[in-house]
Amino acid sequence: MKNYVSILLVSIVSLACQKDGRPLENLFSLPKSLKEVSGISYANDSKLLWTLEDSGNADKIYGLTAEGKIKYEIEISGAKNRDWEDITKDQAGNIYIGDFGNNNNDRKDLCIYKINKESLSSQQAVPDYKVSFSYPEQHSFPPKKKEMFFDVEGFFEYKGNFYLFTKNRSKGFDGTTFMYKVANRAGTQLAQKVAEFKSCDNFSTCAITSAAISPDQSKVVLLCHDTLWLFDNFKNDAFLSGNVQELDLEHNSQKEAVCFKDNENLLIADEKTKKIGGNVYAVKITDLKSKS
């Protein structure tokens, strides 16, 4: 009887110590100095989580430990933070800063900076090069309110190209996001619109805030405030033409950043708004339930 009671007590304590039944596990709170984290990227070799903040913040990237402490704080010389909205890496581990936030759809200086992997333990880094681009479909700055399709908050690098996903800010939001392709090379170019996807017609929960591709390049995810869109079984870079699942995060906050830790596990970060958020979460894709 005593053994049975002991086992029961251990089980109750174990359940109490687990997360609250929702799939997201709160790993740590972000440092108080990082109030507007807008992108994250995980480096498997150093086990660091690289992050940055958006407009109005320092021209810096930060390497965080597994406990959420800032290990590296790197000033990026010659790269003004107009609106840094995401950070990603290539297969070699080089970092890329996406300066393409465009809330008002009026910018003409959209760009991406490459930060060499060898610079990621310094106090200061100079970009290897700058990729400048524009959208051939945009003719007015800003366009009409019903045509505000040119803000981006999420991207990733795949086989020498960047893939950018627009945050639709049009009047009469219908959930449409465009996928643009930009070559990973120095200089100026036109972005190529290669696909589109429709999430839902609720801007507050279905506007795309981040994107990521798995290390084995077999999965792509798009992030919203309470939803994750998972794409797999695609061919080459036709990411949006494969299988798609709408997955419920069971947690609504101002989620701004997602990245893969490995092929099955994600890290997600949100901004702190009205005492909610300001954390980094872990979630296993297979723990998420479909909304459909």
Side-chain angles (χ1 to χ4, degrees), residues 37-57:
V37 162
S38 57
I40 55 175
S41 182
Y42 183 73
N44 190 61
D45 53 353
S46 64
K47 310 302 180 186
L48 292 176
L49 185 67
W50 289 96
T51 189
L52 43 63
E53 296 183 283
D54 55 18
S55 62
N57 292 290

Side-chain angles (χ1 to χ4, degrees), residues 114-129:
K114 178 185 178 182
I115 310 301
N116 195 287
K117 179 181 179 180
E118 302 304 318
S119 302
L120 297 180
S121 58
S122 308
Q123 292 184 330
Q124 190 174 62
V126 177
D128 275 8
Y129 55 76

Side-chain angles (χ1 to χ4, degrees), residues 20 74 122 148 177 181 190 192 202 216 221 234 259 279:
D20 59 6
I74 305 174
S122 308
M148 296 184 73
T177 182
K181 183 177 180 178
L190 292 175
Q192 179 186 1
N202 185 341
D216 66 2
V221 293
F234 46 76
C259 69
N279 303 309

Side-chain angles (χ1 to χ4, degrees), residues 145-149 167-174:
K145 290 185 178 180
K146 64 180 180 180
E147 299 173 350
M148 296 184 73
F149 299 113
K167 184 175 185 178
N168 187 336
R169 293 187 177 274
S170 299
K171 182 180 180 180
F173 177 84
D174 67 353

Side-chain angles (χ1 to χ4, degrees), residues 74-197:
I74 305 174
E75 182 177 359
I76 309 302
S77 300
K80 179 65 178 175
N81 184 350
R82 286 292 309 278
D83 197 356
W84 293 2
E85 281 292 353
D86 207 359
I87 186 170
T88 193
K89 64 179 182 179
D90 58 23
Q91 291 288 86
N94 301 301
I95 289 288
Y96 298 89
I97 298 169
D99 187 2
F100 40 49
N102 194 15
N103 290 9
N104 297 322
N105 281 226
D106 57 358
R107 287 186 61 182
K108 296 183 179 181
D109 57 354
L110 306 171
C111 63
I112 298 166
Y113 297 102
K114 178 185 178 182
I115 310 301
N116 195 287
K117 179 181 179 180
E118 302 304 318
S119 302
L120 297 180
S121 58
S122 308
Q123 292 184 330
Q124 190 174 62
V126 177
D128 275 8
Y129 55 76
K130 176 180 177 181
V131 183
S132 298
F133 66 93
S134 59
Y135 305 107
E137 292 79 15
Q138 184 172 9
H139 306 292
S140 300
F141 299 82
K144 296 178 180 179
K145 290 185 178 180
K146 64 180 180 180
E147 299 173 350
M148 296 184 73
F149 299 113
F150 305 105
D151 181 26
V152 168
E153 293 192 2
F155 81 137
F156 56 76
E157 205 271 357
Y158 171 79
K159 294 186 177 180
N161 293 289
F162 299 109
Y163 294 84
L164 287 65
F165 298 84
T166 61
K167 184 175 185 178
N168 187 336
R169 293 187 177 274
S170 299
K171 182 180 180 180
F173 177 84
D174 67 353
T176 299
T177 182
F178 297 132
M179 181 174 76
Y180 279 93
K181 183 177 180 178
V182 175
N184 183 358
R185 63 168 183 263
T188 302
Q189 58 186 289
L190 292 175
Q192 179 186 1
K193 188 168 74 173
V194 291
E196 62 182 75
F197 169 72

Side-chain angles (χ1 to χ4, degrees), residues 28-31 34-35 269-273 276-281:
F28 57 80
S29 294
L30 288 159
L34 300 181
K35 297 180 179 179
D270 57 6
E271 287 189 18
K272 192 168 187 176
T273 307
I276 297 174
N279 303 309
V280 171
Y281 310 88

